[in-house]
C-alpha cells in the first residue's frame, strides 16, 4: 500500500505509476483476458489523481458524502483503477489477482456498489460524463464543495451522449466538473482519426463552454499540475486532453492496437515485467 | 461430451458464420450495405468489409446513430445489415429501432453479437440477457437465435430475402454443430432435432446442444425427450408446440436469457392459447450474471445439460 504524503515528488509519482503498470499486466495475464492498451495509457492520469493529492478521498470511508468523485467512463481500463484503489488502501492488493474470475469483486468492467471506490457501473461506453453532470449538480444543490472527475476514451467521444453531457455541463456552468480524455489515438478497430475523426477535439469542448487544458498524459508531474489548475476553476467545466500512448510502458504494446483487448501470454508477460522497472 | 445417441463436434462461433454468410449474400445482392460500430472484428462484419469496402461503414462507437443511418438507407431501398454487441445495439438503439425500423416497417437487419452470458470475462456490461425481450417488443420484427454455424448461415440468407425488420443474435464462443449443412430453414418453423414422447425440450442458441446432451442422459434413465430447436422466438412455431403438447404433455424451455420476455415467455404464451401443459424453465432468472470463464458462468447460473435434466425430472413429476 502507498501511504498518502502531503508533498509527493514527481519521481515518487512516477514510481507509483510503474508499480500500477506491473499490477495491470500481471492481473490481465492471470485473467488471460482484459484490455492492456487502454489500461496502461490511463495509468499516469489515475496516479496523479489518487496519489498527487488531487482527489479528496478516504479509502477507509469510500462513501464519505464529501469525497471527490472519480468516474471511469472508459470502463474497460478498470485494471488501472483497481490497482490504484488497492495501493491506496480500498481493498487488499492480493485481491487484484482475482480479476475477471467468478465470485470476484474485480469485475471485468466497474460495478457500482460491489467494489469499494467504484462510483459508477460502466463498460457501455459514452455514459460516464452524464453521471458526472449528475454528481456536480447534486453538489451544487447541496452546497457541497466536492469535485467530480470523469475519464473518457477518445474513441468513446464518438458517442452522442458525451456531447449531450458536454452541452449540459457547459450551459449549467458546472465548474466542479472535470473531464479527462485519454487521447491515445486508437479505439477497438483502429485509429480514431481513420474511423470517425473527432479533430479538433479541443475546439469542440471549447465551443460547448468548457476550458481546455492540453497535457502530455505520461508526464505525471504535468498531469498533476493540470489537475490542480482544473481544481482552481469554479466558473466553467474543464476538459483535460491528455495525449497518451496506448500500451504505454511495454514496448511491444505501445501503439500496437492488437493489445487493445488481448492479454499478454506467459513469455510476453516476462518481457513486460522486465521493462516495467524504474 | 459424447453420450449415447448424440455425437456433437465443436464448430464455428455463430458470429463467424454470420460474417461468412454476409459475404456470400452481399456478393449476390449489391443492395446489401453493412455497418458496424467499432466492433467489426468481433462481430465478423469485417469479413464482408474487407471485400466490399465501398459498401461497408465502420462508423465508430455510436450505436444509436448507426440504427438511424440504417433507417435512412432502408428508406432508399438498400438492405442494411448493422452489427454490434447485442447489449449495445438493442439498448442504445432501441428508440431508433422503434421509430426508424419497426414502426415504418423498414427492411433493417440487426445483428446483435456476444449474446448471453457465454461471452464470459468482460462481465455484465457486455453480456446481453434481455435482447430477446427488447427485440420481441418491436412490432413486426422477426427475432431469431440460430444454434449453430449452419442455421446461422441459413438465417442470414433468410434475413436478406425477407422483406422487413429482422433481429439475429450471434454468439461469441465456438458452438456445437447440431444441424447438417444445408438444413432446411425458415423463420417461424422450428427444427426437431430428436424425437421422444415423454416430454419436449424447447431450446435455442447454444442451449440446443445442451438439450441434446440432456436428452442422452434422460434416455439412460428411460425417459425419451423430444428436442426442438426453436430458433425463431417471434413468430413462434405454435403448431410444433401444439403437436408436442399433445404427444408429450410436458415441456422444458432452455435459453441463455433472463427469465422474462424470452423464449420461455413465448412458449408459455403459445401453449396456454392452445393445449396447456406443465413447463419448467432453464434460464438466467431475474438477475444479471458477472465476469468469469464461460463454462464457469453457465454452470454457476444454471444453464447446462445438467440443469435441463433436473428441470425435466421436475416437469415429469407434474405431468
Ligand atoms: C457502447 C459500447 N460500444 C462498444 C463497446 C466495445 N468497446 C470496448 S473498448 C472500445 C474502444 C474504445 O476506444 P477508446 O474509447 O479510445 O478507449 P481506449 O483507446 O482508451 O481503449 C469498444 C468499441 C463498448 N464497450 N461500449
Ligand atoms: Mg483510445
Amino acid at each position: 500500500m502507498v501511504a498518502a504524503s502531503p508533498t509527493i515528488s514527481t519521481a515518487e509519482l512516477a514510481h507509483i505509476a510503474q508499480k500500477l503498470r506491473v499490477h495491470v499486466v500481471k492481473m490481465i495475464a492471470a485473467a488471460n483476458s482484459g484490455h492492456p492498451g487502454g489500461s496502461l495509457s490511463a495509468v499516469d492520469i489515475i496516479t496523479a489523481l489518487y496519489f498527487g493529492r488531487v482527489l479528496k478521498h478516504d479509502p477507509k470511508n469510500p462513501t464519505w458524502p464529501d469525497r471527490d468523485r472519480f468516474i471511469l467512463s472508459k470502463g474497460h481500463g478498470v485494471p488501472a483503477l483497481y490497482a490504484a484503489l488497492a495501493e491506496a488502501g480500498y481493498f487488499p492488493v492480493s485481491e487484484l489477482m482475482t480479476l475477471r474470475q467468478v465470485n470476484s469483486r474485480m469485475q471485468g468492467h466497474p460495478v457500482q456498489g460491489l467494489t469499494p471506490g467504484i462510483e459508477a457501473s460502466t463498460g457501455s461506453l459514452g455514459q460516464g460524463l452524464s453521471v458526472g453532470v449528475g454528481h456536480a449538480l447534486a453538489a451544487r444543490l447541496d452546497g457541497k464543495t466536492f469535485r467530480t472527475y470523469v475519464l473518457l476514451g477518445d474513441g468513446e467521444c464518438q458517442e452522442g451522449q458525451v456531447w449531450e453531457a458536454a452541452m449540459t455541463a457547459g450551459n449549467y456552468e458546472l465548474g466542479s466538473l472535470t473531464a479527462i480524455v485519454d487521447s491515445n489515438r486508437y479505439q477497438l478497430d483502429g485509429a480514431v482519426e481513420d474511423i470517425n475523426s473527432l479533430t479538433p477535439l479541443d475546439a469542440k469542448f471549447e465551443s460547448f463552454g468548457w476550458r481546455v487544458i492540453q497535457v502530455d498524459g505520461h508526464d505525471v508531474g504535468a498531469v498533476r499540475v493540470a489537475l490542480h489548475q482544473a481544481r482552481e476553476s469554479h466558473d466553467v467545466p474543464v476538459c483535460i486532453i491528455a495525449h497518451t500512448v496506448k500500451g504505454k510502458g511495454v514496448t511491444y504494446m505501445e501503439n500496437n492496437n492488437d493489445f487493445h483487448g488481448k492479454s499478454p501470454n506467459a513469455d510476453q508477460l516476462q518481457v513486460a515485467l522486465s521493462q516495467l522497472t524504474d | 461430451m459424447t453420450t449415447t445417441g448424440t455425437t456433437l463436434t465443436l464448430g464455428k462461433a455463430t458470429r463467424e458464420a454470420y460474417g461468412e454468410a454476409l459475404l456470400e449474400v452481399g456478393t449476390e445482392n449489391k443492395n446489401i450495405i453493412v455497418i458496424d460500430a467499432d466492433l467489426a472484428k468481433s462481430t465478423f462484419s469485417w469479413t464482408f468489409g474487407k471485400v466490399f469496402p465501398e459498401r461497408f461503414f465502420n462508423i465508430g462507437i455510436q450505436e444509436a446513430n448507426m440504427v438511424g443511418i440504417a433507417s435512412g438507407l432502408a428508406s432508399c431501398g438498400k438492405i442494411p445489415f448493422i452489427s454490434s454487441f447485442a447489449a449495445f445495439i438493442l439498448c442504445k438503439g432501441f428508440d431508433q429501432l422503434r421509430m426508424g425500423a419497426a414502426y415504418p416497417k423498414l427492411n433493417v437487419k440487426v445483428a446483435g453479437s456476444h449474446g448471453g452470458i457465454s461471452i464470459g470475462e468482460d462481465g455484465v456490461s457486455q453480456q446481453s440477457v434481455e435482447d430477446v425481450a427488447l427485440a420481441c417488443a418491436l412490432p413486426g420484427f422477426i427475432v431469431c437465435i440460430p444454434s449453430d454455424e449452419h442455421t446461422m448461415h441459413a438465417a442470414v440468407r433468410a434475413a436478406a430475402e425477407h422483406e422487413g425488420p429482422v433481429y439475429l443474435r450471434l454468439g461469441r464462443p465456438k458452438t456445437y454443430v447440431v444441424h447438417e449443412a444445408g438444413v432446411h430453414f425458415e423463420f417461424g418453423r422450428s427444427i426437431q432435432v430428436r424425437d421422444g414422447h415423454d416430454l419436449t425440450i424447447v431450446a435455442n442458441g447454444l442451449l440446443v446442444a445442451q438439450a441434446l446432451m440432456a436428452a442422452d442422459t434422460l434416455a439412460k434413465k428411460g425417459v425419451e425427450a423430444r428436442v426442438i430447436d426453436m430458433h425463431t422466438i417471434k413468430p413462434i412455431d405454435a403448431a410444433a408446440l401444439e403437436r408436442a403438447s399433445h404427444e408429450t404433455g410436458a415441456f422444458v424451455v432452455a435459453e441463455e436469457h433472463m427469465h422474462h420476455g424470452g423464449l420461455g415467455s413465448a412458449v408459455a404464451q403459445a401453449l396456454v392459447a392452445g393445449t396447456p401443459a406443465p413447463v419448467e424453465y432453464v434460464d438466467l432468472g431475474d438477475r444479471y450474471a458477472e465476469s468469469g470463464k464461460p463454462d464457469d458462468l453457465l454452470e454457476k447460473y444454471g444453464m447446462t445439460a445438467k440443469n435441463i435434466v433436473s428441470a425435466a425430472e421436475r416437469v415429469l413429476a407434474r405431468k
Side-chain angles (χ1 to χ4, degrees), chain A residues 35 38 41 74 76 123-125 153-156 159 182 184 186-188 192 246 260, chain B residues 37-39 61 63 84-85 88 92 126:
Chain A
H35 299 81
S41 64
K74 45 165 278 185
H76 59 283
S124 177
L125 292 164
D154 49 358
E156 180 181 16
E159 286 283 3
D182 180 356
N184 58 26
Y186 286 93
Q187 50 191 101
L188 192 147
V192 179
K246 208 155 172 172
H260 165 80
Chain B
D38 199 28
L39 283 164
I61 311 167
E63 298 76 12
S84 176
F85 284 3
F88 307 140
K92 294 211 176 212
Q126 329 282 303

Side-chain angles (χ1 to χ4, degrees), chain B residues 6 21 25 38 56 81 90 98 104 126 201 223 246 254 272 286 291 301 306:
Chain B
T6 318
V25 297
D38 199 28
F56 175 74
F81 275 76
L90 274 162
R98 181 172 186 263
Q126 329 282 303
I201 307 170
V223 174
H246 282 286
V272 290
D286 188 23
S291 292
Y301 290 93
K306 207 174 65 195

Side-chain angles (χ1 to χ4, degrees), chain B residues 167 197 237:
Chain B
Y167 174 65
H197 288 84
D237 187 351

Side-chain angles (χ1 to χ4, degrees), chain A:
Chain A
M1 184 176 145
V2 179
S5 137
T7 53
I8 186 160
S9 71
T10 301
E12 284 169 293
L13 282 176
H15 175 75
I16 296 169
Q18 281 306 68
K19 197 164 176 175
L20 300 192
R21 283 193 165 86
V22 168
H23 286 315
V24 164
V25 295
K26 279 190 182 167
M27 289 159 78
I28 293 176
N32 194 24
S33 92
H35 299 81
S39 300
L40 292 171
S41 64
V43 161
D44 297 295
I45 300 162
I46 288 172
T47 301
L49 276 164
Y50 280 87
F51 303 99
R53 300 195 56 75
V54 175
L55 281 187
K56 194 172 59 170
H57 68 125
D58 179 0
K60 295 293 161 237
N61 188 5
T63 57
W64 174 38
D66 293 329
R67 73 195 181 281
D68 287 344
R69 271 57 165 178
F70 174 65
I71 293 163
L72 183 68
S73 191
K74 45 165 278 185
H76 59 283
V78 76
L81 178 55
Y82 290 151
L85 291 172
E87 286 292 349
Y90 281 83
F91 44 78
V93 169
S94 58
E95 213 172 319
L96 293 175
M97 294 305 278
T98 66
L99 179 74
R100 292 178 164 241
Q101 290 171 20
V102 168
N103 300 326
S104 167
R105 293 197 291 185
M106 306 290 104
Q107 288 290 298
H109 291 77
V111 180
Q112 180 176 11
L114 175 72
T115 318
I118 297 297
E119 300 280 5
S121 293
T122 56
S124 177
L125 292 164
Q127 304 187 15
L129 195 56
S130 302
V131 179
V133 167
H135 281 276
L137 273 178
R140 178 180 284 176
L141 288 167
D142 292 346
K144 289 188 180 289
T145 57
F146 70 78
R147 301 187 63 86
T148 302
Y149 299 84
V150 181
L151 181 59
L152 301 143
D154 49 358
E156 180 181 16
C157 292
Q158 290 163 338
E159 286 283 3
Q161 187 182 346
V162 171
W163 301 101
E164 296 175 20
M167 182 189 307
T168 307
N171 283 329
Y172 289 4
E173 298 175 337
L174 293 178
S176 70
L177 181 66
T178 300
I180 308 149
V181 180
D182 180 356
S183 186
N184 58 26
R185 300 182 296 120
Y186 286 93
Q187 50 191 101
L188 192 147
D189 277 330
V192 179
E193 202 57 37
D194 298 340
I195 290 177
N196 211 345
S197 171
L198 287 147
T199 309
L201 188 61
D202 52 347
K204 285 189 177 64
F205 273 100
E206 277 164 359
S207 72
F208 280 84
W210 292 59
R211 184 172 297 125
V212 172
I213 302 173
Q214 312 244 14
V215 70
D216 172 351
H218 298 305
D219 179 342
V220 68
V223 176
R224 170 168 58 172
V225 169
L227 287 165
H228 280 282
Q229 279 170 3
R231 279 202 85 83
E232 298 314 310
S233 172
H234 299 286
D235 51 348
V236 294
V238 174
C239 173
I240 298 175
I241 300 178
H243 297 278
T244 55
V245 173
K246 208 155 172 172
K248 177 70 179 180
V250 178
T251 49
Y252 64 84
M253 290 186 186
E254 289 187 0
N255 293 314
N256 174 5
N257 216 39
D258 287 351
F259 283 95
H260 165 80
K262 190 178 79 176
S263 81
N265 64 28
D267 291 342
Q268 290 167 331
L269 173 65
Q270 289 317 311
V271 175
L273 293 176
S274 73
Q275 295 178 352
L276 292 172
T277 53
D278 285 303

